[in-house]
Amino acid sequence: MEEKSPLKKKKNNNTGTTNPPAEAASLLTDDLIVEILSRLPARSVHRLKCVSPSWRDLIADPVHRKKLPHTLAGFLYNTYARVDPRFHDFHFADVSIGAATPIDPSLRFLPRDKYWYVAQLDACNGLLLCRSYMPSSPSAKDDDVVESRYILCNPATERWLHLPSHPKVPPGGRVFLRLAFDPAATSYFHVL
């Protein structure tokens, strides 16, 4: 008679497929995930809000927020160039002590051949609402007619999005746009 070894693997009678990484991840408690996230830089934690709604809620929870690295402490602003007031210099005023500037507010990631001038209109929770002036045709020169479009920029991720075209403004009229965005509540933004 043959003896059975207690270390012998059991045959898997499940007919469904299993996903070992997903099973392992499901064993992590919220407290353990927060402990892991607390060891990451603030920028990485902010990006991880996009993993899933449950991670977004976990990171945004006021109880856990105290344990996690704090987000940026500062503000974005722009100044006009003295030589040509059409150009703006973007700046990040860091009010946290001893921290290096984590983002480049100059928006260098925007293609210069597509966007001649960029004016910052509003900022909200790390997103920038800008008006960009672009050539009306690919062969346009500096003194040719340009058209304006609104874009939404995220300097931390260096991504941008064109907003739908705005209606023509009558002569003497003005358009005021403002940005509303709360990443703790939703991943959607609103332009008002």
Side-chain angles (χ1 to χ4, degrees):
M1 191 180 235
E2 191 175 309
E3 230 176 271
K4 292 186 180 179
S5 169
L7 299 176
K8 194 172 185 180
K9 291 183 180 179
K10 291 184 178 180
K11 195 173 188 178
N12 188 357
N13 291 335
N14 279 344
T15 56
T17 60
T18 60
N19 186 348
E23 288 177 9
S26 69
L27 298 176
L28 297 175
T29 64
D30 286 353
D31 290 333
L32 187 55
I33 293 171
V34 169
E35 180 64 31
I36 293 168
L37 294 176
S38 70
R39 299 171 191 267
L40 297 174
R43 188 173 180 180
S44 297
V45 172
H46 186 69
R47 287 180 177 167
L48 289 172
K49 287 181 180 181
C50 300
V51 168
S52 70
S54 62
W55 276 47
R56 181 195 66 218
D57 296 343
L58 182 73
I59 292 169
D61 188 327
V63 174
H64 297 133
R65 199 177 305 159
K66 294 175 185 175
K67 299 175 189 173
L68 297 174
H70 293 279
T71 57
L72 305 178
F75 58 92
L76 294 160
Y77 67 98
N78 61 1
T79 58
Y80 293 99
R82 290 183 183 194
V83 178
D84 188 344
R86 295 178 297 176
F87 293 101
H88 298 268
D89 293 323
F90 294 93
H91 310 279
F92 177 75
D94 190 1
V95 295
S96 60
I97 299 172
T101 303
I103 61 168
D104 180 10
S106 66
L107 307 178
R108 289 190 181 120
F109 55 89
L110 293 174
R112 294 292 176 205
D113 61 329
K114 243 179 144 179
Y115 306 104
W116 285 358
Y117 320 115
V118 177
Q120 178 185 329
L121 301 176
D122 199 11
C124 187
N125 288 317
L127 296 182
L128 297 176
L129 176 63
C130 300
R131 176 183 287 154
S132 66
Y133 297 94
M134 11 188 185
S136 55
S137 70
S139 62
K141 295 183 176 37
D142 283 346
D143 55 352
D144 286 346
V145 175
V146 294
E147 57 186 42
S148 68
R149 299 238 8 221
Y150 293 102
I151 56 173
L152 186 76
C153 298
N154 185 337
T157 61
E158 297 187 349
R159 296 181 68 192
W160 71 94
L161 171 73
H162 286 279
L163 298 180
S165 297
H166 55 85
K168 295 288 181 194
V169 180
R174 291 183 169 208
V175 174
F176 292 97
L177 297 178
R178 292 296 175 245
L179 177 63
F181 175 61
D182 184 4
T186 181
S187 59
Y188 296 104
F189 63 88
H190 300 279
V191 176
L192 312 170

